[in-house]
Amino acid sequence: MSLSALDLNLLLVLDTVLAERSVVRAARRLHVTPSAISNSLARLRAALGDPLIARSGRGIVPTPRAAELAPALARALRDLEQAVHGATFEPATTTRQFSLAIADAGQVVRLPRLATLMAAEMPRASLRVVGIDTLLSGGGLASTEVDVAVAVGEKGPGMHLEPLYRERTVLVARRDHPQAGDRVSKSVLAGLRHVEVQVAPGKGYRELPGAYARLGIARDVALIVPNFTAAAAVIAGSDLVATLPASLVARLGPRLGLRTVQSPVPPLTLTLNLWWHERTHTDPAMIAFRDLIRRAGPGTP
């Protein structure tokens, strides 16, 4: 028998015998009879051209050849087991890079807490954050570019989701806006021009045009930008207004000189979900990463 023809079970038998230093104990550990162990050892002796073990008192001792094989054999079997069942995940020592897709509003408000948790529990890991446009252009969560997303949306094939937090929108203008005070009427609202945020092409607040249309107002969009922070900066320096996440306005509004404007259009309330694909569902590292995102919470405005 050639070495290449050795059965994996035979190698497992040899590893167990060398570890237990006893045919009987090896048989008990592998749930077979001692004669089955002896037969396996006989086949191994023929294949390797070495006695492998010798009796010593009530136990056995390895030959020099077996002693030489023992550490390499144990390592190979351990590596194979890890490849089949997955390596044990150690948060404190992992150097893995995790990737998260989340809109810029979430990056500003939610990301600091997540970064703090990662520094404490996965100090050697790294985090790559991308926007929703990058997620979509890269093939979504089915690709290997992004591990987890925090976003709105509907469940599709192979996807897992769970509600993470709820976000309310507010209409925002600069503090000294000439028409938009703390509250505006329907007629004043109809005369305002808006900045619209599309975190990816065509991906804005889908319910917003309908909310204006129900009041008989044609929402006048003067500018479309790819993120909420750009919209906030534009509003701070112009007479345009925008509908933004309340948490982002609470965080940036005082610094930029923005005010929340009460209007006849009711605020939207959206559910932000935690998303991941079936391909990462049982990965221990991804399970731990998703748990960190949950515990990071909605952030503090």
Side-chain angles (χ1 to χ4, degrees), residues 30-55:
L30 295 176
H31 305 287
V32 297
T33 63
S35 61
I37 296 292
S38 297
N39 290 337
S40 295
L41 289 173
R43 293 174 62 190
L44 282 166
R45 291 188 186 100
L48 297 176
D50 188 90
L52 298 176
I53 59 172
R55 294 192 177 278

Side-chain angles (χ1 to χ4, degrees), residues 256-278:
L256 295 178
L258 305 180
R259 65 150 50 109
T260 299
V261 179
Q262 301 294 321
S263 85
V265 177
L268 305 176
T269 301
L270 300 96
T271 299
L272 277 293
N273 299 310
L274 180 64
W275 293 85
W276 67 95
H277 193 267
E278 180 64 27

Side-chain angles (χ1 to χ4, degrees), residues 89-94 98 113-125 287-289 291-293 295-296:
F89 176 66
E90 297 292 344
T93 59
T94 183
F98 298 90
R113 171 64 174 160
L114 177 59
T116 299
L117 282 178
M118 285 200 68
E121 300 185 26
M122 300 183 189
R124 300 182 61 191
I287 291 173
F289 180 51
D291 182 60
L292 279 187
I293 296 172
R295 288 192 286 120

Side-chain angles (χ1 to χ4, degrees), residues 5 9 60 68 70 84 105 112 154 157 162 194 205 208 231 242 250 270:
N9 286 332
I60 58 173
E68 180 184 15
V84 172
E154 298 177 355
E162 64 180 65
H194 297 254
Y205 285 135
L208 203 55
L270 300 96

Side-chain angles (χ1 to χ4, degrees), residues 24 36 76 95 122 140 163 166 191 198 200 211 239 258 262 279 284 288 299:
V24 173
T95 58
M122 300 183 189
R166 292 173 69 81
Q198 294 186 3
D239 288 340
L258 305 180
Q262 301 294 321
R279 67 179 179 84

Side-chain angles (χ1 to χ4, degrees), residues 92-106:
T93 59
T94 183
T95 58
R96 188 161 176 171
Q97 181 181 83
F98 298 90
S99 54
L100 167 67
I102 185 171
D104 68 298

